[in-house]
Amino acid sequence: MTDPQDPLAQAPLLRVVHERHPDVDVVVLPPETPAPEPADAPVPVTDAALDAERSRVEDVLAGLLAAAEPAPAADPAPDAALAPRATWRSAPASHVVPVAEARLPIDGPEAGIAVGRTLSARLRADGWDGRLDHAGVTPLLLAALDDRSVRVAWLDDAVLVTVRGRDLPVATATARALVSGTEDDR
């Protein structure tokens, strides 16, 4: 049974099963070959489309932040950790998605509720469909419009606002450049 052509020689567990139960046929299939690239694979979007989607996501976040008008924090100096930031994240099947987020400091639950009401009103006014949800004990406001989404999470000391854009098909090299932050190389 040590013949290299014997498939059971490469599968010790199956060999033991076969030895203990010789009346049972053991079938070992050959490894699958990779699936060919589908003919109807999405065409990668242009750099202009990528820039437009990222800009749209940043604009939505900026509008929400402007509507929230957060109260000044105890430390009036700007904190880089609180500044809005936009990044690219990978999505399934050679797609990327722009994501922008900001952390709004709050002083207590009442302030968080006020910020939430303001953001909810702004989203409704802009045509977003929203609902309340929970992730464990964290209350969430989830909204969607045109394959984009907004997630507002109430934390102990802040409200986290995340805007996610549309999934965009791109070439693998472009996806790597965007997600790694070297997007100027695209």
Side-chain angles (χ1 to χ4, degrees):
M1 274 210 172
T2 60
D3 183 350
Q5 299 300 325
D6 182 11
L8 294 180
Q10 303 300 320
L13 179 66
L14 293 177
R15 185 181 66 231
V16 171
V17 169
H18 182 66
E19 289 171 356
R20 289 188 182 172
H21 303 284
D23 56 323
V24 175
D25 292 331
V26 176
V27 178
V28 179
L29 299 174
E32 287 187 40
T33 57
E37 192 71 29
D40 60 347
V43 176
V45 297
T46 63
D47 287 349
L50 290 169
D51 294 339
E53 186 62 22
R54 182 173 179 155
S55 177
R56 175 73 176 128
V57 166
E58 290 171 339
D59 290 347
V60 169
L61 181 63
L64 292 172
L65 296 178
E69 296 180 28
D75 180 11
D79 185 357
L82 301 176
R85 64 185 175 106
T87 60
W88 289 94
R89 296 190 183 152
S90 60
S94 295
H95 284 65
V96 293
V97 60
V99 177
E101 57 188 6
R103 186 179 179 101
L104 305 173
I106 55 172
D107 293 324
E110 295 82 22
I113 291 170
V115 169
R117 285 184 178 146
T118 302
L119 294 176
S120 178
R122 173 63 188 255
L123 288 166
R124 278 194 312 270
D126 290 345
W128 292 75
D129 292 324
R131 65 183 171 85
L132 292 175
D133 202 352
H134 283 83
V137 296
T138 304
L140 302 173
L141 169 63
L142 305 173
L145 176 68
D146 297 332
D147 295 330
R148 295 180 184 96
S149 65
V150 172
R151 179 176 177 243
V152 179
W154 284 267
L155 308 174
D156 291 335
D157 61 345
V159 174
L160 181 62
V161 181
T162 305
V163 181
R164 181 180 167 100
R166 294 180 177 153
D167 289 0
L168 302 171
V170 294
T172 303
T174 302
R176 284 189 189 121
L178 291 170
V179 172
S180 69
T182 58
E183 60 194 80
D184 295 334
D185 299 341
R186 60 179 155 125

